[in-house]
Amino acid sequence: MQVVFRDRRKTGHLDLEAIEMAVRSAMHQAGAAALSQLLQFPAPADEQRRLPCSCGQQAHYRELRSKAVLTAVGPAKVSRPYYLCSHCHAGQFPADIELDIEDVESSPGVRRMQAMVGQEVPFDHGRQQMKLLAGLEVTTKAVERTAETIGEDIAAREQEEIQRAVQLDLPIIVGEPIPILYVQMDGTGVPVVKKETLGRQGKVAGQPAHTREVKLGCVFTQTTWDKEGYAIRDLGSTTYVGAIETAEEFGKRLYLEAWKRGWNRAAKKVVIGDGAEWIWNLADQHFLGAIQIVDLYHARQHLWSLARKLHPNQDAEQRRWTMVHQDMLDEGKIDELVQSLRSIDTANPELAEKIRAEAAYFENNARRMRYPDFRLQHLFVGSGVIEAGCKTVIGSRLKQSGMFWTVRGANAILALRCCQLNGRFEDYWEARRAA
Ligand SMILES: [Zn+2]
Protein backbone atom coordinates (compact mmCIF):
# COMPACT_ATOMS: atom_id res chain seq x y z
CA MET A 1 0.00 0.00 0.00
CA GLN A 2 2.79 2.37 0.92
CA VAL A 3 4.51 1.55 -2.35
CA VAL A 4 1.35 2.40 -4.26
CA PHE A 5 0.92 5.75 -2.52
CA ARG A 6 4.58 6.64 -2.82
CA ASP A 7 4.31 6.02 -6.55
CA ARG A 8 1.32 8.30 -6.65
CA ARG A 9 3.28 11.11 -5.06
CA LYS A 10 6.09 10.57 -7.53
CA THR A 11 4.08 10.21 -10.72
CA GLY A 12 0.75 11.83 -9.83
CA HIS A 13 -0.93 8.71 -11.17
CA LEU A 14 -3.21 6.42 -9.19
CA ASP A 15 -3.49 2.80 -10.29
CA LEU A 16 -6.90 1.85 -8.95
CA GLU A 17 -6.67 -1.80 -9.89
CA ALA A 18 -3.37 -2.18 -8.07
CA ILE A 19 -4.88 -0.48 -5.04
CA GLU A 20 -8.12 -2.43 -4.92
CA MET A 21 -6.26 -5.71 -5.24
CA ALA A 22 -3.82 -4.71 -2.53
CA VAL A 23 -6.70 -3.65 -0.28
CA ARG A 24 -8.54 -6.93 -0.89
CA SER A 25 -5.40 -8.84 -0.05
CA ALA A 26 -4.89 -6.81 3.14
CA MET A 27 -8.53 -7.33 4.14
CA HIS A 28 -8.12 -11.04 3.54
CA GLN A 29 -5.05 -11.20 5.73
CA ALA A 30 -6.78 -9.33 8.53
CA GLY A 31 -9.85 -11.53 8.13
CA ALA A 32 -7.86 -14.71 8.16
CA ALA A 33 -6.08 -13.60 11.33
CA ALA A 34 -9.44 -12.90 12.99
CA LEU A 35 -10.83 -16.25 11.80
CA SER A 36 -7.82 -18.09 13.13
CA GLN A 37 -8.45 -16.45 16.52
CA LEU A 38 -12.06 -17.63 16.47
CA LEU A 39 -10.99 -21.12 15.49
CA GLN A 40 -8.82 -21.68 18.58
CA PHE A 41 -10.89 -24.18 20.52
CA PRO A 42 -10.11 -24.54 24.24
CA ALA A 43 -9.17 -27.84 25.77
CA PRO A 44 -12.30 -29.62 27.03
CA ALA A 45 -13.29 -29.43 30.69
CA ASP A 46 -12.43 -32.48 32.80
CA GLU A 47 -15.91 -34.00 32.55
CA GLN A 48 -15.90 -33.67 28.74
CA ARG A 49 -12.72 -35.55 28.06
CA ARG A 50 -14.41 -38.73 26.89
CA LEU A 51 -16.39 -39.43 23.74
CA PRO A 52 -18.10 -42.54 22.46
CA CYS A 53 -16.06 -44.25 19.73
CA SER A 54 -17.69 -46.00 16.78
CA CYS A 55 -16.15 -49.28 17.97
CA GLY A 56 -18.34 -49.15 21.08
CA GLN A 57 -15.53 -48.16 23.44
CA GLN A 58 -14.55 -44.67 24.58
CA ALA A 59 -12.16 -42.18 23.03
CA HIS A 60 -10.15 -39.97 25.38
CA TYR A 61 -9.00 -36.41 24.94
CA ARG A 62 -5.31 -36.27 24.11
CA GLU A 63 -4.32 -32.75 23.11
CA LEU A 64 -5.08 -29.70 21.02
CA ARG A 65 -3.99 -30.15 17.42
CA SER A 66 -3.94 -27.55 14.71
CA LYS A 67 -4.36 -27.70 10.97
CA ALA A 68 -4.39 -25.23 8.10
CA VAL A 69 -7.70 -24.51 6.41
CA LEU A 70 -8.16 -22.40 3.33
CA THR A 71 -11.09 -20.04 3.93
CA ALA A 72 -12.86 -17.44 1.81
CA VAL A 73 -10.41 -14.89 3.23
CA GLY A 74 -7.32 -17.03 2.71
CA PRO A 75 -5.29 -19.49 4.76
CA ALA A 76 -6.37 -19.74 8.40
CA LYS A 77 -5.47 -22.06 11.24
CA VAL A 78 -7.80 -24.11 13.37
CA SER A 79 -6.74 -25.61 16.70
CA ARG A 80 -9.11 -28.14 18.21
CA PRO A 81 -9.27 -31.06 20.66
CA TYR A 82 -8.12 -34.46 19.48
CA TYR A 83 -9.61 -37.66 20.95
CA LEU A 84 -8.11 -41.10 20.60
CA CYS A 85 -9.61 -44.50 21.27
CA SER A 86 -7.03 -46.72 22.93
CA HIS A 87 -9.08 -49.75 21.99
CA CYS A 88 -9.26 -49.39 18.17
CA HIS A 89 -6.75 -46.51 17.76
CA ALA A 90 -9.25 -44.39 15.85
CA GLY A 91 -8.79 -40.66 16.35
CA GLN A 92 -11.49 -38.02 16.08
CA PHE A 93 -11.92 -34.25 15.90
CA PRO A 94 -15.52 -33.40 16.87
CA ALA A 95 -14.93 -29.72 16.01
CA ASP A 96 -14.11 -30.63 12.40
CA ILE A 97 -17.53 -32.20 11.98
CA GLU A 98 -19.20 -29.13 13.43
CA LEU A 99 -17.18 -26.84 11.13
CA ASP A 100 -17.66 -29.13 8.12
CA ILE A 101 -13.93 -29.44 7.52
CA GLU A 102 -13.49 -33.13 8.29
CA ASP A 103 -10.73 -34.66 6.13
CA VAL A 104 -10.62 -31.62 3.84
CA GLU A 105 -8.22 -28.71 3.41
CA SER A 106 -10.71 -25.97 2.69
CA SER A 107 -13.72 -24.40 4.35
CA PRO A 108 -17.31 -24.98 3.17
CA GLY A 109 -17.34 -21.53 1.58
CA VAL A 110 -14.23 -22.29 -0.49
CA ARG A 111 -15.45 -25.77 -1.43
CA ARG A 112 -18.68 -24.31 -2.72
CA MET A 113 -16.67 -21.96 -4.95
CA GLN A 114 -14.54 -24.84 -6.18
CA ALA A 115 -17.65 -26.86 -6.99
CA MET A 116 -19.14 -23.94 -8.92
CA VAL A 117 -16.12 -23.30 -11.10
CA GLY A 118 -15.38 -27.01 -11.44
CA GLN A 119 -18.75 -27.82 -12.99
CA GLU A 120 -18.56 -24.85 -15.33
CA VAL A 121 -15.04 -24.90 -16.76
CA PRO A 122 -11.96 -27.16 -16.95
CA PHE A 123 -10.36 -27.57 -13.53
CA ASP A 124 -7.27 -25.50 -14.31
CA HIS A 125 -9.43 -22.73 -15.70
CA GLY A 126 -11.37 -22.96 -12.43
CA ARG A 127 -8.16 -22.54 -10.48
CA GLN A 128 -7.46 -19.33 -12.44
CA GLN A 129 -10.97 -18.05 -11.75
CA MET A 130 -10.56 -18.70 -8.03
CA LYS A 131 -7.42 -16.59 -8.09
CA LEU A 132 -8.82 -13.69 -10.06
CA LEU A 133 -12.34 -13.59 -8.67
CA ALA A 134 -11.79 -14.60 -5.07
CA GLY A 135 -8.09 -13.89 -4.55
CA LEU A 136 -7.56 -17.49 -3.48
CA GLU A 137 -4.63 -19.71 -4.43
CA VAL A 138 -5.72 -23.31 -4.92
CA THR A 139 -4.30 -26.15 -6.97
CA THR A 140 -5.95 -27.53 -10.08
CA LYS A 141 -6.13 -30.87 -8.30
CA ALA A 142 -7.97 -29.31 -5.35
CA VAL A 143 -10.64 -27.90 -7.66
CA GLU A 144 -11.00 -31.31 -9.29
CA ARG A 145 -11.11 -33.23 -6.03
CA THR A 146 -13.64 -30.93 -4.38
CA ALA A 147 -15.95 -30.72 -7.42
CA GLU A 148 -15.88 -34.50 -7.79
CA THR A 149 -16.47 -35.18 -4.11
CA ILE A 150 -19.48 -32.89 -4.05
CA GLY A 151 -20.74 -34.30 -7.36
CA GLU A 152 -20.45 -37.83 -5.98
CA ASP A 153 -22.42 -36.82 -2.92
CA ILE A 154 -25.17 -35.34 -5.09
CA ALA A 155 -25.22 -38.49 -7.23
CA ALA A 156 -25.45 -40.71 -4.13
CA ARG A 157 -28.41 -38.74 -2.80
CA GLU A 158 -30.08 -39.00 -6.19
CA GLN A 159 -29.56 -42.76 -6.16
CA GLU A 160 -31.37 -42.96 -2.82
CA GLU A 161 -34.23 -40.99 -4.31
CA ILE A 162 -34.29 -43.22 -7.39
CA GLN A 163 -34.52 -46.30 -5.15
CA ARG A 164 -37.49 -44.77 -3.36
CA ALA A 165 -39.08 -44.01 -6.74
CA VAL A 166 -38.59 -47.63 -7.85
CA GLN A 167 -40.41 -48.75 -4.72
CA LEU A 168 -43.24 -46.39 -5.71
CA ASP A 169 -42.60 -44.52 -2.54
CA LEU A 170 -42.66 -41.03 -4.04
CA PRO A 171 -44.76 -38.25 -2.58
CA ILE A 172 -47.41 -36.91 -4.95
CA ILE A 173 -46.32 -33.41 -5.83
CA VAL A 174 -49.18 -30.96 -5.75
CA GLY A 175 -49.17 -27.89 -7.94
CA GLU A 176 -50.74 -26.08 -10.84
CA PRO A 177 -51.91 -28.29 -13.70
CA ILE A 178 -49.42 -28.46 -16.56
CA PRO A 179 -50.83 -28.20 -20.11
CA ILE A 180 -48.02 -30.05 -21.91
CA LEU A 181 -44.99 -31.76 -20.41
CA TYR A 182 -42.14 -33.00 -22.62
CA VAL A 183 -39.51 -35.62 -22.01
CA GLN A 184 -36.62 -35.80 -24.46
CA MET A 185 -33.56 -38.04 -24.42
CA ASP A 186 -30.43 -38.54 -26.44
CA GLY A 187 -26.97 -40.06 -26.21
CA THR A 188 -23.60 -38.43 -26.81
CA GLY A 189 -20.05 -39.79 -26.56
CA VAL A 190 -17.59 -38.44 -23.99
CA PRO A 191 -13.85 -39.14 -24.40
CA VAL A 192 -12.58 -41.47 -21.67
CA VAL A 193 -9.28 -42.90 -20.47
CA LYS A 194 -8.24 -46.23 -21.98
CA LYS A 195 -9.26 -48.47 -19.10
CA GLU A 196 -12.90 -47.39 -19.45
CA THR A 197 -13.25 -48.80 -22.95
CA LEU A 198 -11.45 -52.12 -22.53
CA GLY A 199 -13.20 -54.75 -24.62
CA ARG A 200 -15.68 -52.28 -26.04
CA GLN A 201 -16.30 -52.05 -29.74
CA GLY A 202 -15.79 -48.64 -31.37
CA LYS A 203 -18.05 -47.01 -33.93
CA VAL A 204 -15.79 -48.23 -36.73
CA ALA A 205 -15.79 -52.04 -36.86
CA GLY A 206 -12.58 -53.52 -35.51
CA GLN A 207 -11.49 -50.22 -33.94
CA PRO A 208 -11.45 -49.81 -30.18
CA ALA A 209 -13.86 -47.31 -28.64
CA HIS A 210 -12.49 -44.00 -27.35
CA THR A 211 -15.68 -42.70 -25.86
CA ARG A 212 -18.48 -43.79 -23.57
CA GLU A 213 -22.04 -42.74 -24.12
CA VAL A 214 -23.62 -40.25 -21.77
CA LYS A 215 -27.38 -40.56 -21.78
CA LEU A 216 -28.94 -37.16 -21.37
CA GLY A 217 -32.58 -36.47 -20.68
CA CYS A 218 -34.53 -33.27 -20.25
CA VAL A 219 -37.97 -32.29 -19.09
CA PHE A 220 -39.71 -29.05 -20.02
CA THR A 221 -43.19 -27.62 -20.35
CA GLN A 222 -45.23 -25.76 -22.95
CA THR A 223 -48.26 -23.56 -22.42
CA THR A 224 -48.65 -21.60 -25.64
CA TRP A 225 -47.72 -21.35 -29.33
CA ASP A 226 -46.87 -18.49 -31.65
CA LYS A 227 -49.00 -16.78 -34.31
CA GLU A 228 -48.10 -19.44 -36.85
CA GLY A 229 -49.06 -22.18 -34.44
CA TYR A 230 -45.53 -23.27 -33.54
CA ALA A 231 -44.90 -24.49 -30.03
CA ILE A 232 -43.21 -22.14 -27.53
CA ARG A 233 -41.25 -23.65 -24.66
CA ASP A 234 -41.97 -22.20 -21.21
CA LEU A 235 -39.03 -19.99 -20.36
CA GLY A 236 -36.63 -21.50 -17.85
CA SER A 237 -38.66 -24.70 -17.59
CA THR A 238 -35.96 -27.12 -18.71
CA THR A 239 -34.24 -29.48 -16.28
CA TYR A 240 -31.64 -32.12 -17.15
CA VAL A 241 -30.44 -35.49 -15.96
CA GLY A 242 -27.49 -37.36 -17.36
CA ALA A 243 -24.99 -40.13 -16.64
CA ILE A 244 -22.86 -42.80 -18.21
CA GLU A 245 -25.03 -45.78 -17.31
CA THR A 246 -27.24 -48.49 -18.76
CA ALA A 247 -30.55 -47.63 -20.39
CA GLU A 248 -32.28 -49.39 -17.51
CA GLU A 249 -30.60 -47.22 -14.87
CA PHE A 250 -31.12 -44.11 -16.94
CA GLY A 251 -34.82 -44.87 -17.38
CA LYS A 252 -35.36 -44.74 -13.63
CA ARG A 253 -33.38 -41.52 -13.36
CA LEU A 254 -35.40 -39.79 -16.06
CA TYR A 255 -38.68 -41.11 -14.70
CA LEU A 256 -37.87 -39.59 -11.31
CA GLU A 257 -37.12 -36.25 -12.94
CA ALA A 258 -40.38 -36.29 -14.91
CA TRP A 259 -42.19 -37.16 -11.70
CA LYS A 260 -40.62 -34.23 -9.85
CA ARG A 261 -41.64 -31.94 -12.69
CA GLY A 262 -45.30 -32.93 -12.49
CA TRP A 263 -45.75 -35.94 -14.73
CA ASN A 264 -48.85 -36.97 -12.77
CA ARG A 265 -50.61 -33.65 -13.29
CA ALA A 266 -49.71 -32.96 -16.92
CA ALA A 267 -52.74 -32.84 -19.21
CA LYS A 268 -50.67 -33.89 -22.20
CA LYS A 269 -47.39 -35.82 -22.10
CA VAL A 270 -44.94 -36.08 -24.97
CA VAL A 271 -41.73 -38.08 -25.48
CA ILE A 272 -39.44 -36.98 -28.33
CA GLY A 273 -36.30 -38.76 -29.46
CA ASP A 274 -34.42 -39.90 -32.51
CA GLY A 275 -34.80 -43.44 -33.82
CA ALA A 276 -32.59 -45.12 -31.19
CA GLU A 277 -34.23 -48.27 -29.91
CA TRP A 278 -33.39 -47.75 -26.22
CA ILE A 279 -35.28 -44.47 -26.23
CA TRP A 280 -38.56 -46.05 -27.29
CA ASN A 281 -38.08 -49.00 -24.98
CA LEU A 282 -37.78 -46.57 -22.08
CA ALA A 283 -40.75 -44.54 -23.33
CA ASP A 284 -42.90 -47.69 -23.37
CA GLN A 285 -41.66 -48.80 -19.98
CA HIS A 286 -41.70 -45.58 -17.95
CA PHE A 287 -43.74 -43.00 -19.81
CA LEU A 288 -47.02 -44.69 -20.52
CA GLY A 289 -49.74 -42.46 -21.87
CA ALA A 290 -47.26 -40.18 -23.61
CA ILE A 291 -47.50 -39.19 -27.25
CA GLN A 292 -44.32 -40.52 -28.88
CA ILE A 293 -42.67 -38.40 -31.57
CA VAL A 294 -39.61 -39.17 -33.69
CA ASP A 295 -37.60 -36.00 -34.21
CA LEU A 296 -38.66 -34.80 -37.67
CA TYR A 297 -35.21 -33.51 -38.60
CA HIS A 298 -33.62 -36.80 -37.68
CA ALA A 299 -36.18 -38.66 -39.84
CA ARG A 300 -35.38 -36.30 -42.75
CA GLN A 301 -31.70 -37.14 -42.33
CA HIS A 302 -32.56 -40.76 -43.02
CA LEU A 303 -33.99 -39.71 -46.38
CA TRP A 304 -30.95 -37.62 -47.26
CA SER A 305 -28.58 -40.42 -46.42
CA LEU A 306 -30.56 -42.83 -48.59
CA ALA A 307 -30.69 -40.29 -51.43
CA ARG A 308 -26.88 -40.10 -51.39
CA LYS A 309 -26.67 -43.88 -51.80
CA LEU A 310 -29.34 -43.98 -54.52
CA HIS A 311 -27.86 -41.17 -56.60
CA PRO A 312 -24.17 -40.89 -55.77
CA ASN A 313 -22.57 -37.64 -56.95
CA GLN A 314 -25.81 -36.36 -58.47
CA ASP A 315 -26.71 -33.39 -56.32
CA ALA A 316 -29.80 -32.32 -58.24
CA GLU A 317 -31.18 -35.83 -58.38
CA GLN A 318 -30.52 -36.36 -54.66
CA ARG A 319 -32.38 -33.17 -53.87
CA ARG A 320 -35.31 -33.99 -56.12
CA TRP A 321 -35.68 -37.48 -54.68
CA THR A 322 -35.42 -36.24 -51.09
CA MET A 323 -37.96 -33.44 -51.60
CA VAL A 324 -40.57 -35.83 -52.98
CA HIS A 325 -40.12 -38.21 -50.05
CA GLN A 326 -39.75 -35.48 -47.48
CA ASP A 327 -43.17 -34.20 -48.45
CA MET A 328 -44.63 -37.63 -47.73
CA LEU A 329 -42.83 -37.64 -44.38
CA ASP A 330 -43.89 -34.11 -43.40
CA GLU A 331 -47.47 -34.92 -44.39
CA GLY A 332 -47.39 -38.05 -42.26
CA LYS A 333 -48.02 -40.30 -45.26
CA ILE A 334 -45.72 -42.97 -43.92
CA ASP A 335 -47.48 -45.90 -45.65
CA GLU A 336 -46.96 -44.19 -48.97
CA LEU A 337 -43.34 -43.45 -48.11
CA VAL A 338 -42.63 -47.05 -47.10
CA GLN A 339 -44.27 -48.36 -50.27
CA SER A 340 -42.24 -45.99 -52.39
CA LEU A 341 -39.02 -47.14 -50.73
CA ARG A 342 -39.91 -50.81 -51.18
CA SER A 343 -40.67 -50.29 -54.86
CA ILE A 344 -37.10 -49.18 -55.57
CA ASP A 345 -35.43 -51.76 -57.78
CA THR A 346 -31.72 -52.38 -57.39
CA ALA A 347 -29.26 -55.11 -58.25
CA ASN A 348 -26.83 -53.83 -55.63
CA PRO A 349 -27.23 -56.05 -52.53
CA GLU A 350 -25.71 -53.45 -50.20
CA LEU A 351 -28.13 -50.80 -51.41
CA ALA A 352 -31.04 -53.24 -51.24
CA GLU A 353 -30.17 -53.88 -47.60
CA LYS A 354 -30.00 -50.14 -46.85
CA ILE A 355 -33.41 -49.64 -48.48
CA ARG A 356 -34.85 -52.53 -46.49
CA ALA A 357 -33.51 -51.09 -43.24
CA GLU A 358 -34.81 -47.59 -43.97
CA ALA A 359 -38.24 -48.87 -44.98
CA ALA A 360 -38.39 -50.79 -41.70
CA TYR A 361 -37.30 -47.69 -39.76
CA PHE A 362 -40.18 -45.65 -41.17
CA GLU A 363 -42.67 -48.49 -40.87
CA ASN A 364 -41.80 -49.23 -37.25
CA ASN A 365 -41.99 -45.56 -36.30
CA ALA A 366 -45.08 -44.66 -38.35
CA ARG A 367 -47.23 -43.85 -35.34
CA ARG A 368 -44.46 -41.57 -34.07
CA MET A 369 -44.43 -39.66 -37.37
CA ARG A 370 -47.99 -38.31 -37.49
CA TYR A 371 -46.56 -34.84 -37.96
CA PRO A 372 -49.70 -33.06 -39.28
CA ASP A 373 -51.60 -34.34 -36.25
CA PHE A 374 -48.84 -33.19 -33.89
CA ARG A 375 -48.70 -29.78 -35.58
CA LEU A 376 -52.47 -29.43 -35.25
CA GLN A 377 -51.98 -29.88 -31.50
CA HIS A 378 -49.21 -27.22 -31.59
CA LEU A 379 -46.64 -29.73 -30.31
CA PHE A 380 -42.91 -29.66 -30.82
CA VAL A 381 -41.86 -32.21 -33.45
CA GLY A 382 -38.10 -31.79 -33.05
CA SER A 383 -35.65 -32.78 -30.34
CA GLY A 384 -33.81 -29.46 -30.48
CA VAL A 385 -33.93 -28.94 -26.73
CA ILE A 386 -32.07 -32.13 -25.90
CA GLU A 387 -29.63 -31.60 -28.76
CA ALA A 388 -28.82 -28.14 -27.43
CA GLY A 389 -28.51 -29.78 -24.00
CA CYS A 390 -25.94 -32.22 -25.35
CA LYS A 391 -23.83 -29.21 -26.30
CA THR A 392 -24.37 -26.96 -23.27
CA VAL A 393 -24.57 -29.58 -20.51
CA ILE A 394 -22.05 -32.07 -21.84
CA GLY A 395 -20.09 -30.82 -24.85
CA SER A 396 -18.95 -27.50 -23.45
CA ARG A 397 -17.70 -29.05 -20.21
CA LEU A 398 -16.81 -32.69 -20.89
CA LYS A 399 -15.79 -32.80 -24.54
CA GLN A 400 -13.06 -30.17 -24.74
CA SER A 401 -9.83 -31.12 -26.49
CA GLY A 402 -7.34 -33.01 -24.35
CA MET A 403 -9.96 -34.21 -21.87
CA PHE A 404 -10.08 -37.88 -20.94
CA TRP A 405 -12.50 -38.85 -18.22
CA THR A 406 -12.94 -41.76 -15.91
CA VAL A 407 -16.56 -42.88 -15.74
CA ARG A 408 -16.55 -42.05 -12.04
CA GLY A 409 -15.21 -38.52 -12.60
CA ALA A 410 -17.50 -37.79 -15.55
CA ASN A 411 -20.58 -38.95 -13.65
CA ALA A 412 -19.65 -36.85 -10.62
CA ILE A 413 -19.23 -33.68 -12.68
CA LEU A 414 -22.41 -34.45 -14.62
CA ALA A 415 -24.40 -34.81 -11.40
CA LEU A 416 -22.99 -31.54 -10.09
CA ARG A 417 -23.53 -29.74 -13.39
CA CYS A 418 -27.13 -30.88 -13.78
CA CYS A 419 -27.84 -29.95 -10.16
CA GLN A 420 -26.49 -26.45 -10.77
CA LEU A 421 -28.21 -25.98 -14.17
CA ASN A 422 -31.50 -27.21 -12.69
CA GLY A 423 -31.26 -24.50 -10.03
CA ARG A 424 -31.06 -27.03 -7.20
CA PHE A 425 -27.56 -26.50 -5.88
CA GLU A 426 -28.61 -24.08 -3.15
CA ASP A 427 -31.18 -26.58 -1.87
CA TYR A 428 -28.63 -29.38 -1.95
CA TRP A 429 -26.07 -27.32 -0.06
CA GLU A 430 -28.62 -26.35 2.59
CA ALA A 431 -29.83 -29.94 2.99
CA ARG A 432 -26.24 -31.09 3.33
CA ARG A 433 -25.56 -28.54 6.03
CA ALA A 434 -28.66 -29.57 7.93
CA ALA A 435 -27.73 -33.29 7.81
ZN1 LIG B 1 -12.58 -47.25 19.15
Side-chain angles (χ1 to χ4, degrees):
M1 295 287 286
Q2 278 168 348
V3 170
V4 170
F5 281 96
R6 198 174 55 222
D7 278 2
R8 184 198 178 189
R9 276 198 299 275
K10 264 197 273 180
T11 65
H13 173 70
L14 200 60
D15 183 343
L16 178 56
E17 186 174 354
I19 295 175
E20 61 190 331
M21 289 311 188
V23 169
R24 179 172 77 176
S25 170
M27 299 300 274
H28 274 191
Q29 279 176 37
L35 257 185
S36 296
Q37 286 290 316
L38 288 169
L39 295 174
Q40 302 300 305
F41 286 70
D46 283 349
E47 66 276 14
Q48 289 172 339
R49 297 199 162 197
R50 285 170 191 209
L51 281 178
C53 176
S54 59
C55 75
Q57 300 290 320
Q58 296 240 305
H60 294 265
Y61 170 71
R62 294 295 289 262
E63 68 211 336
L64 289 173
R65 285 192 179 180
S66 69
K67 83 163 175 176
V69 180
L70 183 67
T71 73
V73 287
K77 221 170 212 161
V78 51
S79 167
R80 71 287 194 231
Y82 173 66
Y83 294 76
L84 185 70
C85 172
S86 54
H87 186 75
C88 74
H89 303 289
Q92 48 176 313
F93 295 100
D96 286 10
I97 296 166
E98 192 189 337
L99 297 170
D100 190 7
I101 52 166
E102 194 183 20
D103 300 324
V104 291
E105 298 161 354
S106 44
S107 69
V110 171
R111 299 211 303 285
R112 181 197 205 135
M113 294 181 205
Q114 290 175 326
M116 275 307 96
V117 298
Q119 61 83 30
E120 183 69 39
V121 292
F123 301 121
D124 190 58
H125 189 166
R127 175 190 64 76
Q128 294 169 38
Q129 290 189 337
M130 294 284 292
K131 186 165 184 213
L132 178 68
L133 303 178
L136 294 174
E137 299 267 2
V138 296
T139 62
T140 302
K141 197 75 200 161
V143 175
E144 177 178 349
R145 209 184 304 121
T146 304
E148 288 189 359
T149 302
I150 292 173
E152 278 170 5
D153 186 46
I154 291 170
R157 282 158 191 254
E158 282 170 354
Q159 249 348 290
E160 283 172 22
E161 230 182 327
I162 288 169
Q163 290 316 313
R164 284 204 296 277
V166 171
Q167 291 154 15
L168 302 173
D169 192 19
L170 286 176
I172 297 277
I173 299 164
V174 209
E176 295 284 307
I178 294 165
I180 312 172
L181 186 129
Y182 290 86
V183 169
Q184 294 189 349
M185 47 194 133
D186 201 357
T188 182
V190 161
V192 290
V193 296
K194 262 208 180 102
K195 73 171 169 89
E196 302 287 13
T197 54
L198 277 182
R200 285 172 177 267
Q201 189 69 49
K203 274 191 180 155
V204 182
Q207 299 273 315
H210 298 290
T211 62
R212 291 285 298 269
E213 184 188 56
V214 173
K215 294 184 176 70
L216 187 72
C218 70
V219 179
F220 63 94
T221 60
Q222 179 205 339
T223 312
T224 57
W225 46 88
D226 68 12
K227 274 180 243 149
E228 276 123 49
Y230 288 103
I232 299 175
R233 176 163 49 132
D234 291 338
L235 201 68
S237 74
T238 312
T239 53
Y240 301 96
V241 292
I244 300 173
E245 62 190 347
T246 63
E248 192 193 343
E249 292 166 317
F250 178 74
K252 294 172 192 166
R253 182 185 301 279
L254 187 53
Y255 171 71
L256 172 65
E257 185 60 26
W259 180 270
K260 282 187 192 169
R261 297 298 312 281
W263 180 258
N264 62 315
R265 59 193 154 89
K268 204 173 268 185
K269 303 155 186 179
V270 184
V271 175
I272 305 181
D274 60 22
E277 212 180 325
W278 67 267
I279 291 178
W280 302 116
N281 288 340
L282 289 190
D284 287 338
Q285 191 185 347
H286 293 288
F287 303 103
L288 286 175
I291 299 168
Q292 300 184 353
I293 301 177
V294 164
D295 170 55
L296 173 61
Y297 310 96
H298 190 267
R300 285 181 181 167
Q301 282 303 317
H302 277 252
L303 294 175
W304 277 107
S305 105
L306 185 53
R308 281 192 289 271
K309 292 250 160 62
L310 288 170
H311 306 287
N313 305 318
Q314 295 171 266
D315 284 5
E317 194 50 28
Q318 285 176 14
R319 196 166 304 120
R320 194 202 60 79
W321 187 92
T322 305
M323 286 310 150
V324 169
H325 290 82
Q326 194 166 292
D327 283 348
M328 295 179 198
L329 176 66
D330 290 9
E331 288 163 23
K333 294 173 180 162
I334 308 303
D335 284 353
E336 201 178 308
L337 173 60
V338 171
Q339 272 179 29
S340 173
L341 295 185
R342 288 192 172 142
S343 70
I344 301 169
D345 216 12
T346 174
N348 177 343
E350 197 184 313
L351 183 58
E353 179 47 41
K354 168 94 175 159
I355 294 167
R356 213 173 7 251
E358 292 299 343
Y361 165 77
F362 286 104
E363 188 171 53
N364 293 338
N365 284 301
R367 71 195 162 90
R368 304 182 182 119
M369 295 176 172
R370 295 176 286 116
Y371 298 114
D373 180 30
F374 303 147
R375 283 256 157 87
L376 217 58
Q377 299 181 63
H378 307 291
L379 298 176
F380 282 100
V381 293
S383 54
V385 177
I386 195 68
E387 277 155 32
C390 282
K391 293 196 183 84
T392 54
V393 181
I394 299 169
S396 67
R397 177 63 189 89
L398 287 100
K399 292 168 83 160
Q400 298 297 306
S401 72
M403 284 183 180
F404 297 98
W405 296 87
T406 60
V407 169
R408 200 183 62 85
N411 278 343
I413 295 304
L414 269 169
L416 175 59
R417 187 154 173 74
C418 287
C419 182
Q420 163 68 9
L421 289 169
N422 295 346
R424 295 182 185 143
F425 188 80
E426 293 294 315
D427 286 348
Y428 156 74
W429 200 247
E430 279 305 311
R432 196 186 146 277
R433 190 200 300 267

